[in-house]
Amino acid sequence: MSIAENLAQIKQNIAEAKTKSPNPTEEVTLVVVSKMHEANELQEVLDCGEYILGENRVQEMLEKYEKLPKEVKWHLIGHLQTNKVKYIYDKIELLHSLDSVSLAEEISKQMSKIGGTMPCLVQVNVAGEEQKSGLKVEEAEDFILKASQLPGIKIMGLMHIAPNYADKEMVRPLFKQMYELFISLKAKNIPNTQMRYLSMGMSGDYEIAVEEGSNMVRIGSAVFKTASPF
Ligand SMILES: *Cc1c(COP(=O)(O)O)cnc(C)c1O
């Protein structure tokens, strides 16, 4: 399978999953996770019309940023260290992993230099896995109330990384919980926030995520997998 065929298949799967979603008419944004893939391979993705690329490391993103056309919309999906904000604040379209007040403050400080606003998703860890970053469900609202008051920060939704369960159906209750949190925060109409995106779903679980209300999926390995020659 080529990248183009993989992308076509993924889009078809998303369309089918969407029919079961609580919002079946919602547009689902595809973020192609380009980590560990070289710029020449990524050109093939762009040639298919997919311009939203997700990277989880700052250094790797910066290298590709130099090589690929300016039309690429870079999303940072991995944990962002406060001391690295200065390298990317003017280069990314969306940060998926806002998870601390100190990070929000640093982003606010850097954005004040260019008078801009950084759209951010708040990372929530519903499974409560110790090794993953992200806020607890019960911390999310307070955090959003605080972070949204900082100039240069625009909270645009939530992000979730599911545990890597062998039985993929085990993620469904977590996705349901994320969707409920998303809807309840949206209903609160917190000033200076716009609960627009719920970023959840990766190669192994994106169909379940969309069925449960995700409207932004981050897909890497399913895009780049190639058939074994053996
Ligand atoms: C790598 C990564 C993905 C994509 O994972 P695949 O299983 O390859 O689709 C999505 N989100 C985050 C945060 C990642 O680091």
XYZ file of all heavy atoms in Angstrom, residues 91-151:
459
model
N 5.852 29.327 14.911
C 5.893 28.359 13.807
C 4.752 27.348 13.824
O 4.561 26.622 12.863
C 7.213 27.588 13.825
C 8.422 28.483 13.633
C 9.709 27.688 13.554
C 10.898 28.589 13.266
N 11.138 29.604 14.312
N 4.007 27.246 14.909
C 2.995 26.201 14.955
C 1.575 26.765 14.887
O 1.305 27.892 15.306
C 3.140 25.275 16.194
C 2.931 26.029 17.498
C 4.495 24.577 16.185
C 2.935 25.088 18.706
N 0.715 25.942 14.329
C -0.681 26.358 14.184
C -1.501 25.962 15.409
O -2.478 26.619 15.764
C -1.285 25.678 12.946
C -2.691 26.161 12.687
C -3.468 25.336 11.692
O -3.554 24.107 11.849
O -4.004 25.946 10.765
N -1.113 24.842 16.042
C -1.860 24.378 17.212
C -0.936 23.571 18.116
O -0.197 22.706 17.640
C -3.036 23.505 16.747
C -4.012 23.005 17.822
C -4.770 24.156 18.475
C -5.021 22.018 17.221
N -1.017 23.876 19.405
C -0.306 23.079 20.415
C -1.327 22.149 21.062
O -2.332 22.611 21.608
C 0.312 24.007 21.475
C 0.922 23.295 22.690
C 2.160 22.489 22.297
C 1.260 24.277 23.797
N -1.089 20.830 20.996
C -2.054 19.878 21.545
C -1.825 19.587 23.020
O -2.638 18.910 23.628
C -1.958 18.538 20.795
C -2.496 18.550 19.408
N -3.428 17.645 18.964
C -2.241 19.348 18.348
C -3.714 17.868 17.691
N -2.993 18.903 17.289
N -0.698 20.017 23.575
C -0.256 19.448 24.850
C -0.046 20.472 25.958
O 0.879 20.348 26.745
C 1.038 18.673 24.608
O 1.964 19.505 23.911
N -0.922 21.479 26.026
C -0.820 22.420 27.144
C -1.227 21.686 28.418
O -2.316 21.103 28.483
C -1.742 23.624 26.896
C -1.649 24.748 27.939
C -0.253 25.365 27.973
C -2.684 25.832 27.652
N -0.329 21.680 29.413
C -0.608 20.868 30.604
C -0.114 21.489 31.903
O -0.131 20.822 32.934
C -0.012 19.460 30.432
C 1.502 19.494 30.258
O 2.081 20.601 30.198
O 2.114 18.420 30.168
N 0.351 22.739 31.875
C 0.758 23.359 33.143
C 0.654 24.872 33.038
O 0.751 25.447 31.938
C 2.192 22.969 33.518
O 3.115 23.663 32.711
N 0.483 25.506 34.203
C 0.375 26.958 34.233
C 1.713 27.580 33.831
O 1.755 28.572 33.104
C -0.079 27.449 35.624
C -0.031 28.975 35.711
C -1.494 26.955 35.927
N 2.824 26.964 34.253
C 4.124 27.567 33.901
C 4.345 27.546 32.388
O 4.890 28.501 31.821
C 5.270 26.876 34.636
O 5.258 25.496 34.388
N 3.897 26.492 31.728
C 4.009 26.451 30.258
C 3.125 27.536 29.638
O 3.552 28.268 28.730
C 3.620 25.058 29.742
C 3.622 24.876 28.225
C 4.997 25.150 27.628
C 3.166 23.457 27.843
N 1.912 27.677 30.139
C 0.992 28.696 29.613
C 1.589 30.092 29.794
O 1.508 30.940 28.897
C -0.362 28.588 30.300
N 2.232 30.320 30.936
C 2.829 31.642 31.199
C 3.973 31.934 30.236
O 4.117 33.048 29.739
C 3.321 31.715 32.654
C 2.156 31.877 33.622
C 2.540 31.734 35.092
O 3.668 31.260 35.384
O 1.695 32.066 35.931
N 4.775 30.910 29.969
C 5.895 31.104 29.039
C 5.370 31.368 27.618
O 5.904 32.220 26.899
C 6.817 29.877 29.071
C 7.957 29.909 28.067
C 8.969 31.032 28.293
O 8.966 31.647 29.377
O 9.756 31.302 27.353
N 4.351 30.647 27.218
C 3.771 30.880 25.883
C 3.239 32.314 25.808
O 3.477 33.032 24.835
C 2.642 29.861 25.594
C 3.226 28.449 25.475
C 1.898 30.235 24.309
C 2.177 27.340 25.441
N 2.560 32.720 26.858
C 2.004 34.074 26.894
C 3.123 35.115 26.738
O 3.004 36.066 25.971
C 1.252 34.252 28.214
O 0.744 35.551 28.318
N 4.221 34.880 27.446
C 5.359 35.808 27.389
C 5.945 35.876 25.969
O 6.191 36.950 25.435
C 6.424 35.314 28.377
C 7.611 36.214 28.532
C 8.574 35.654 29.579
C 10.002 35.710 29.055
N 10.908 34.869 29.830
N 6.140 34.703 25.363
C 6.727 34.685 24.016
C 5.769 35.302 22.991
O 6.200 36.017 22.089
C 7.088 33.254 23.597
C 8.160 32.599 24.452
C 9.525 33.249 24.320
O 9.838 33.918 23.338
N 10.355 33.074 25.339
N 4.476 35.030 23.123
C 3.512 35.543 22.156
C 3.431 37.061 22.222
O 3.135 37.712 21.225
C 2.115 34.939 22.384
C 1.994 33.458 22.092
S 2.747 32.881 20.558
C 1.584 33.467 19.336
N 3.710 37.634 23.414
C 3.616 39.091 23.541
C 4.649 39.777 22.637
O 4.472 40.915 22.231
C 3.786 39.516 24.995
O 5.129 39.333 25.389
N 5.729 39.057 22.290
C 6.757 39.637 21.404
C 6.211 39.902 20.013
O 6.663 40.799 19.316
C 7.904 38.634 21.217
C 8.725 38.350 22.424
C 9.908 37.499 21.942
C 10.694 36.932 23.088
N 11.596 35.852 22.606
N 5.292 39.042 19.572
C 4.781 39.198 18.213
C 3.315 39.650 18.221
O 2.683 39.767 17.181
C 4.926 37.895 17.378
C 4.339 36.680 18.120
C 6.373 37.649 17.002
C 4.249 35.425 17.266
N 2.809 39.878 19.407
C 1.424 40.344 19.513
C 0.421 39.343 18.985
O -0.656 39.708 18.548
N 0.786 38.065 19.012
C -0.117 37.047 18.471
C -0.770 36.217 19.558
O -0.616 36.489 20.756
N -1.506 35.216 19.124
C -2.199 34.323 20.036
C -1.899 32.896 19.615
O -1.960 32.588 18.429
C -3.724 34.535 19.925
O -3.980 35.916 20.029
C -4.473 33.808 21.013
N -1.565 32.046 20.581
C -1.342 30.642 20.231
C -2.567 29.798 20.583
O -2.969 29.731 21.730
C -0.122 30.054 20.935
C 0.121 28.646 20.398
S 1.453 27.777 21.214
C 2.855 28.737 20.691
N -3.143 29.146 19.556
C -4.239 28.226 19.831
C -3.695 26.968 20.525
O -2.703 26.394 20.078
C -4.770 27.876 18.433
C -4.192 28.914 17.520
C -2.870 29.303 18.125
N -4.318 26.579 21.625
C -3.822 25.454 22.421
C -4.956 24.507 22.792
O -6.071 24.952 23.079
C -3.267 25.961 23.755
S -1.911 27.123 23.645
N -4.635 23.235 22.842
C -5.537 22.246 23.425
C -4.972 21.862 24.789
O -3.756 21.843 24.980
C -5.642 20.995 22.539
C -5.992 21.233 21.074
C -6.091 19.898 20.332
C -7.295 22.010 20.935
N -5.849 21.565 25.702
C -5.431 21.175 27.045
C -5.390 19.648 27.100
O -6.377 18.975 26.785
C -6.420 21.740 28.088
C -6.102 21.205 29.474
C -6.375 23.265 28.063
N -4.230 19.124 27.464
C -4.088 17.666 27.509
C -4.652 17.120 28.813
O -4.273 17.553 29.907
C -2.612 17.271 27.366
C -2.440 15.757 27.289
C -1.008 15.332 26.989
O -0.170 16.162 26.641
N -0.740 14.054 27.116
N -5.557 16.177 28.684
C -6.198 15.566 29.852
C -5.904 14.065 29.824
O -5.961 13.426 28.774
C -7.724 15.825 29.849
C -8.394 15.145 31.041
C -8.024 17.322 29.875
N -5.602 13.541 30.990
C -5.212 12.146 31.137
C -6.317 11.438 31.930
O -6.222 11.319 33.139
C -3.853 12.159 31.865
C -3.311 10.802 32.191
O -3.922 9.781 31.907
N -2.142 10.785 32.804
N -7.376 11.013 31.233
C -8.522 10.434 31.963
C -8.191 9.109 32.613
O -8.797 8.735 33.610
C -9.791 10.179 31.105
C -10.710 11.360 31.111
C -9.505 9.675 29.740
N -7.245 8.374 32.028
C -6.921 7.060 32.589
C -6.088 7.204 33.860
O -5.919 6.251 34.611
C -6.179 6.216 31.566
N -5.547 8.414 34.085
C -4.739 8.649 35.283
C -3.424 7.889 35.256
O -2.851 7.577 36.289
N -2.913 7.603 34.063
C -1.630 6.885 33.970
C -0.500 7.785 34.457
O -0.326 8.893 33.961
C -1.340 6.519 32.515
C -2.166 5.395 31.971
C -1.727 5.086 30.554
O -1.876 5.961 29.687
O -1.225 3.988 30.320
N 0.280 7.274 35.373
C 1.334 8.070 36.000
C 2.372 8.574 34.997
O 2.829 9.693 35.090
C 2.060 7.227 37.061
C 1.232 6.941 38.299
C 0.940 8.200 39.117
O 1.753 9.127 39.063
O -0.105 8.233 39.794
N 2.728 7.731 34.048
C 3.855 8.094 33.174
C 3.459 9.070 32.067
O 4.294 9.592 31.352
C 4.515 6.841 32.578
C 3.707 6.106 31.515
C 2.667 5.128 32.098
O 2.216 5.291 33.228
N 2.275 4.142 31.315
N 2.158 9.332 31.918
C 1.741 10.263 30.858
C 1.476 11.632 31.446
O 0.969 11.758 32.553
C 0.457 9.754 30.197
C 0.709 8.544 29.312
C -0.114 8.597 28.035
C 0.212 7.427 27.133
N -0.671 6.287 27.428
N 1.810 12.663 30.659
C 1.494 13.999 31.143
C 0.022 14.284 30.882
O -0.695 13.488 30.290
C 2.405 15.037 30.500
O 2.644 14.732 29.176
N -0.430 15.404 31.329
C -1.845 15.741 31.170
C -2.491 15.956 32.519
O -2.059 15.427 33.534
N -3.551 16.766 32.502
C -4.252 17.090 33.747
C -5.251 16.004 34.080
O -5.701 15.265 33.207
C -5.012 18.404 33.559
C -4.129 19.605 33.215
C -4.992 20.735 32.688
C -3.369 20.063 34.439
N -5.625 15.956 35.357
C -6.716 15.069 35.745
C -8.036 15.725 35.332
O -8.118 16.956 35.234
C -6.717 14.881 37.261
C -5.446 14.244 37.799
C -5.712 13.756 39.230
C -4.493 13.101 39.834
N -3.718 14.016 40.681
N -9.047 14.896 35.146
C -10.353 15.412 34.726
C -10.818 16.541 35.655
O -11.264 17.598 35.206
C -11.395 14.273 34.710
C -12.796 14.813 34.499
C -11.052 13.255 33.633
N -10.663 16.304 36.964
C -11.196 17.276 37.922
C -10.368 18.563 37.980
O -10.810 19.561 38.548
C -11.370 16.642 39.311
C -10.113 16.050 39.930
C -9.818 14.597 39.501
O -10.322 14.152 38.447
O -9.066 13.919 40.230
N -9.182 18.562 37.367
C -8.359 19.782 37.358
C -8.613 20.651 36.132
O -8.212 21.816 36.095
C -6.862 19.419 37.325
C -6.347 18.689 38.532
C -4.939 18.109 38.317
O -4.520 17.904 37.151
O -4.270 17.859 39.333
N -9.247 20.075 35.125
C -9.288 20.725 33.811
C -9.970 22.096 33.844
O -9.436 23.071 33.306
C -9.968 19.809 32.789
N -11.115 22.176 34.497
C -11.860 23.441 34.440
C -11.096 24.589 35.100
O -10.978 25.676 34.532
C -13.239 23.278 35.085
C -14.053 24.559 34.952
C -15.447 24.448 35.533
O -15.869 23.331 35.902
O -16.111 25.496 35.623
N -10.569 24.332 36.290
C -9.801 25.360 36.992
C -8.613 25.819 36.171
O -8.309 27.013 36.082
C -9.249 24.765 38.296
C -10.027 25.249 39.487
O -11.070 25.895 39.270
O -9.584 24.972 40.617
N -7.947 24.835 35.573
C -6.776 25.162 34.753
C -7.184 26.056 33.582
O -6.523 27.059 33.293
C -6.117 23.869 34.244
C -4.994 24.144 33.287
C -3.756 24.546 33.755
C -5.199 24.044 31.919
C -2.719 24.840 32.871
C -4.170 24.335 31.032
C -2.939 24.730 31.504
N -8.270 25.703 32.929
C -8.705 26.486 31.760
C -9.094 27.904 32.195
O -8.773 28.876 31.511
C -9.850 25.764 31.024
C -9.310 24.474 30.397
C -10.472 26.662 29.951
C -10.356 23.569 29.786
N -9.747 28.006 33.339
C -10.116 29.338 33.840
C -8.868 30.198 34.024
O -8.846 31.372 33.667
C -10.876 29.225 35.164
C -12.339 28.783 35.031
C -12.913 28.401 36.388
C -13.181 29.879 34.382
N -7.802 29.600 34.562
C -6.554 30.341 34.783
C -5.854 30.660 33.465
O -5.527 31.800 33.184
C -5.592 29.505 35.630
C -5.875 29.542 37.105
C -4.586 29.168 37.895
C -4.932 28.863 39.344
N -5.220 27.425 39.563
N -5.611 29.620 32.683
C -4.787 29.793 31.475
C -5.465 30.723 30.468
O -4.791 31.481 29.768
C -4.496 28.431 30.837
N -6.778 30.690 30.416
C -7.474 31.481 29.395
C -7.423 32.974 29.699
O -7.738 33.795 28.849
C -8.932 31.021 29.277
O -9.585 31.196 30.513
N -7.021 33.322 30.922
C -6.902 34.747 31.241
C -5.567 35.337 30.798
O -5.394 36.546 30.799
C -7.052 34.949 32.757
C -8.501 34.755 33.191
C -8.644 34.767 34.695
O -7.759 35.232 35.417
N -9.752 34.260 35.188
N -4.634 34.464 30.429
C -3.323 34.967 30.013
C -3.411 35.496 28.584
O -3.944 34.818 27.696
C -2.287 33.845 30.070
C -1.979 33.285 31.460
C -1.176 31.987 31.355
C -1.205 34.316 32.275
N -2.859 36.699 28.342
C -2.869 37.208 26.975
C -2.023 36.315 26.068
O -1.000 35.780 26.503
C -2.244 38.603 27.100
C -1.688 38.713 28.461
C -2.244 37.610 29.313
